[in-house]
Amino acid sequence: MPILQDLVHKLEVGGGMRYLRVGLTVLGVVLLTVGYNWRAFRNFGTQEAMDGAQLARNIAQSKGYTTLFIRPFSIHLLKKRNKAREGASAVGAAADLGQLRGMHPDIANPPVYPVVLAGLMKVLPFDYTITTTKPFWSNGGRFWRFKPDFMIAVFNQLLFLAVITLVFFLARRLFDPAVAWLSSGLMLGTELFWRFSVSGLSTMLLVVIFLGLVWCVVLLEEEGRAPRWGPWGIVILAVLSGVIVGLGGLTRYAFGWLIIPVLVFLVLFGGRQRVVLALIALVAFIAVMAPWVARNYYVSGKPFGTATYAVVETTILYPENRLQRSLEPDFSRLYLMAFWLKLNTNLRQIITIELPKLGGSWVTAFFLVGLLIGFRNLAVTRLRYFLLGCVLVLTLAQALGRTQLSEESPDINSENLLVLLVPLVLVYGVSLFYMLLEQMRLPFREVRYIVIGLFSLAACLPMIFVFMPPKTNPVAYPPYYPPAIQTIAGWLKEKELAMSDIPWVVAWYGQRQCVWLTLKCAPDAKDPNTHEDFTAINDYQKPINALYLTPRTMDGRFLSQWFMAGEQSWGNFIVECVLRKNVPGYFPLNQSPNGWPSDQLVLTDWQRWRKP
């Protein structure tokens, strides 16, 4: 009995209640994480996630910054660069201008996230084999979850918890503990962030970097008003802010545009050394970005590789993913109106659809209304100006940089830049909620907690629905089914080449070099000078040993994608193979396994599935 009394006394008087609250909070977070993964985990379903993961594996396996997912446009840039660099010595049948016969250098992805994943793969035992017998990874003798996908998702969920912690301390510094607790709680209950955490994208890491930048901005503003760290304190913060933007730019190129609001903020609120501080931050940013830009230029002749042309993608000149699948793109037809049309179309969608539902919660409405509210705290007001500058810059960057990736996965994609701002938006929205709550006339104080509870419940409804039927199927089919991919990849030797309409899947799950489906199947007799077809790679660069087509192509629109595309189109080729049961005589891959699903087409150079 005395022991129980001592325990109660420690809880009530000795500070034990604080540890109890922390313990219960940690337990709740763990249970929520386990429950979400059990109910809603889904294997990778985006091109970017699998592309980044296979690139990280190559780095971890000491294969350098190379990729198994090969874009025809990447081949074009490398060929052009190697010809210019090597001159006459690059000409000849033995020349590997497209760098397909060895490991193909990656010129599509910035390096930070793949390198971080590579470190994770070095530390943890990643098992790439598929099991159909072990629970959780299988279900009723069928494939269910892919272990590396799940481990990467757990890593991103740890980053998500780091984001919540940063939001808590930032909100407590700017406002008060009540705003901090509710802001971090709403972050934890934001279903959109949980989906990003299991997507395999770099978004969680980028949010951590952005919040680090926000901390730098807050400290810079305070140091500019009332110096506390001596003459070098604000200089170090300026350098750090430029370095952080540089790291963000090396995680996602579009993040680099945030150097603009950082420089404007320093010029406006940097104190007496404002111009010098802005120049210091700019130099630090350039110093971080320059080595990687130089590497890309040396390899491909472009500062950001294939990403240099993101502004050209999904324009009327290169709709959908045609540019990435082009072996001989023609940029002589580019004109300003094409970019204006893209900007206008995408801006309209962002302003009317994406901004109002920013973060997947109506708390955004509180933030938008809060723009009209004046704050007594000068740091809060100035940080809001920085936030608005970020909204403007990222909106323009997202509109111009939008590609087919956003069409295929509208919410969960790396081109969703505005989601980075959601933590700050939530903090400002919650602060306005508390300001309104203070003005409410409540009959007694306990009603206040009921109002806060209802507010939180309404904001977290999408997360609550996750735990209601039906349960999410972890298999991202169609079109991604890892066992089928590994079966096809098993027919190929390590250095052999495949072609597919989902090459990122073959690269990640199958660990085989795979080129994206070219624009045409056969050479164009009307225009013999163009080489945008299967033959241009198979005959002149490296033999293609297997072709794998999925519902992405097999379920194409008949009139526009098949019939009107011409005789050299893949649609016409599919009609010949599937409906007429006849592989065209000009096509070198003419062997097809029996029993394959009708919505897929697999062709090889010989019957590789028959073991000798």
Side-chain angles (χ1 to χ4, degrees):
M1 196 68 177
I3 297 177
L4 182 60
Q5 290 177 346
D6 290 342
L7 180 62
V8 172
H9 177 75
K10 288 181 179 179
L11 287 176
E12 292 181 348
V13 181
M17 189 62 68
R18 176 185 177 185
Y19 295 106
L20 179 62
R21 286 197 298 267
V22 171
L24 291 176
T25 301
V26 171
L27 179 62
V29 170
V30 171
L31 291 176
L32 179 62
T33 304
V34 172
Y36 183 86
N37 288 333
W38 182 261
R39 291 285 306 177
F41 170 78
R42 189 171 172 83
N43 298 313
F44 290 171
T46 63
Q47 168 188 322
E48 306 148 280
M50 287 176 266
D51 187 19
Q54 63 88 22
L55 175 57
R57 181 177 56 204
N58 288 342
I59 299 172
Q61 294 175 351
S62 302
K63 296 179 181 178
Y65 204 81
T66 58
T67 181
L68 296 173
F69 166 28
I70 300 173
R71 299 162 175 82
F73 185 47
S74 174
I75 298 174
H76 164 77
L77 292 179
L78 291 178
K79 285 177 61 179
K80 186 176 179 181
R81 178 60 174 168
N82 288 333
K83 278 185 179 181
R85 191 168 56 221
E86 299 177 19
S89 62
V91 180
D96 184 20
L97 298 180
Q99 297 182 245
L100 290 178
R101 296 170 195 169
M103 293 300 294
H104 189 81
D106 185 89
I107 56 172
N109 298 284
V112 169
Y113 185 63
V115 169
V116 170
L117 286 187
L120 181 70
M121 293 174 180
K122 280 282 191 180
V123 173
L124 300 179
F126 270 60
D127 182 8
Y128 298 97
T129 58
I130 289 177
T131 178
T132 56
T133 57
K134 296 181 179 179
F136 188 76
W137 309 115
S138 62
N139 182 27
R142 296 179 293 112
F143 165 79
W144 203 238
R145 296 179 179 90
F146 191 56
K147 294 179 184 178
D149 288 2
F150 185 78
M151 295 179 73
I152 293 174
V154 171
F155 169 70
N156 277 285
Q157 287 172 345
L158 292 177
L159 291 177
F160 180 36
L161 297 181
V163 168
I164 295 172
T165 304
L166 288 172
V167 167
F168 174 83
F169 287 107
L170 181 65
R172 191 174 68 173
R173 185 183 187 93
L174 294 174
F175 296 98
D176 54 54
V179 173
W181 279 108
L182 186 54
S183 299
S184 56
L186 292 183
M187 277 290 297
L188 185 65
T190 301
E191 192 260 346
L192 179 65
F193 276 101
W194 284 97
R195 281 196 286 158
F196 268 108
S197 72
V198 298
S199 68
L201 299 176
S202 60
T203 300
M204 286 297 106
L205 177 61
L206 204 61
V207 175
V208 171
I209 293 173
F210 177 73
L211 288 176
L213 176 62
V214 171
W215 269 100
C216 271
V217 167
V218 170
L219 295 176
L220 269 168
E221 190 277 334
E222 293 178 354
E223 193 68 13
R225 277 189 293 115
R228 294 183 301 170
W229 298 346
W232 291 101
I234 196 168
V235 174
I236 294 174
L237 288 172
V239 171
L240 190 58
S241 63
V243 169
I244 291 177
V245 178
L247 286 176
L250 293 180
T251 305
R252 196 171 298 172
Y253 289 133
F255 188 93
W257 288 110
L258 289 186
I259 193 63
I260 296 176
V262 168
L263 296 179
V264 172
F265 188 89
L266 286 172
V267 170
L268 293 177
F269 309 118
R272 298 177 181 178
Q273 308 176 60
R274 59 186 68 190
V275 176
V276 175
L277 293 175
L279 290 175
I280 290 174
L282 180 61
V283 170
F285 167 73
I286 294 174
V288 173
M289 293 288 294
W292 185 253
V293 171
R295 176 264 181 190
N296 283 336
Y297 188 82
Y298 176 80
V299 173
S300 66
K302 304 300 174 185
F304 304 104
T306 58
T308 308
Y309 293 89
V311 69
V312 181
E313 295 189 60
T314 64
T315 61
I316 57 176
L317 303 176
Y318 284 98
E320 298 180 339
N321 48 36
R322 289 184 63 86
L323 179 60
Q324 296 295 330
R325 293 170 55 198
S326 297
L327 281 167
E328 291 187 350
D330 180 13
F331 296 118
S332 63
R333 301 179 297 123
L334 294 180
Y335 52 91
L336 190 59
M337 182 55 68
F339 303 113
W340 169 249
L341 290 174
K342 178 179 182 178
L343 177 63
N344 183 48
T345 302
N346 292 337
L347 269 181
R348 183 182 307 170
Q349 179 175 344
I350 291 173
I351 293 173
T352 58
I353 299 176
E354 297 183 25
L355 272 177
K357 65 172 188 177
L358 184 62
S361 170
W362 52 267
V363 178
T364 307
F366 279 78
F367 163 72
L368 295 175
V369 174
L371 295 177
L372 305 175
I373 303 297
F375 291 97
R376 297 177 183 175
N377 189 330
L378 192 58
V380 172
T381 301
R382 290 179 172 179
L383 181 62
R384 184 172 60 181
Y385 295 150
F386 173 75
L387 177 58
L388 290 176
C390 292
V391 170
L392 176 61
V393 169
L394 293 183
T395 297
L396 292 174
Q398 182 170 321
L400 283 172
R402 189 183 184 95
T403 69
Q404 187 64 18
L405 297 173
S406 298
E407 301 298 328
E408 295 175 357
S409 181
D411 295 321
I412 310 301
N413 60 76
S414 65
E415 296 168 357
N416 187 346
L417 302 175
L418 293 176
V419 74
L420 306 178
L421 309 177
V422 171
L424 269 187
V425 169
L426 278 177
V427 170
Y428 276 92
V430 169
S431 68
L432 176 63
F433 166 74
Y434 271 107
M435 290 174 64
L436 297 176
L437 185 62
E438 292 295 332
Q439 299 177 21
M440 292 179 63
R441 295 183 178 180
L442 303 175
F444 45 90
R445 184 170 180 80
E446 285 71 16
V447 177
R448 173 188 176 90
Y449 300 108
I450 296 177
V451 174
I452 295 173
L454 292 175
F455 175 82
S456 304
L457 181 68
C460 297
L461 276 177
M463 186 65 179
I464 295 173
F465 288 141
V466 168
F467 295 92
M468 296 182 180
K471 185 179 178 181
T472 301
N473 187 336
V475 183
Y477 185 86
Y480 308 133
Y481 191 61
I485 303 296
Q486 290 198 354
T487 298
I488 297 171
W491 299 340
L492 301 175
K493 297 179 181 179
E494 183 178 356
K495 294 185 178 180
E496 290 183 323
L497 178 64
M499 177 177 283
S500 176
D501 53 358
I502 52 170
W504 47 90
V505 185
V506 179
W508 171 232
Y509 294 121
Q511 301 189 51
R512 290 296 182 267
Q513 193 179 58
C514 189
V515 64
W516 206 341
L517 197 69
T518 52
L519 293 179
K520 293 183 179 296
C521 170
D524 193 343
K526 297 180 180 179
D527 190 0
N529 294 322
T530 60
H531 300 280
E532 293 278 12
D533 59 283
F534 177 94
T535 307
I537 297 175
N538 182 72
D539 291 3
Y540 301 104
Q541 299 191 58
K542 184 177 181 178
I544 297 174
N545 304 105
L547 174 71
Y548 178 47
L549 301 182
T550 68
R552 285 173 63 98
T553 302
M554 303 290 284
D555 289 344
R557 295 184 293 274
F558 179 80
L559 185 61
S560 60
Q561 294 183 348
W562 289 18
F563 180 74
M564 297 181 64
E567 295 182 1
Q568 293 78 27
S569 70
W570 288 102
N572 186 70
F573 176 82
I574 292 171
V575 170
E576 289 284 336
C577 294
V578 177
L579 298 183
R580 299 180 183 177
K581 307 293 183 181
N582 178 46
V583 179
Y586 61 80
F587 200 74
L589 308 179
N590 52 22
Q591 301 297 317
S592 179
N594 295 324
W596 212 258
S598 58
D599 61 352
Q600 300 179 22
L601 177 64
V602 181
L603 294 174
T604 59
D605 47 0
W606 52 275
Q607 295 181 358
R608 291 172 171 265
W609 50 91
R610 292 188 176 182
K611 297 182 179 180

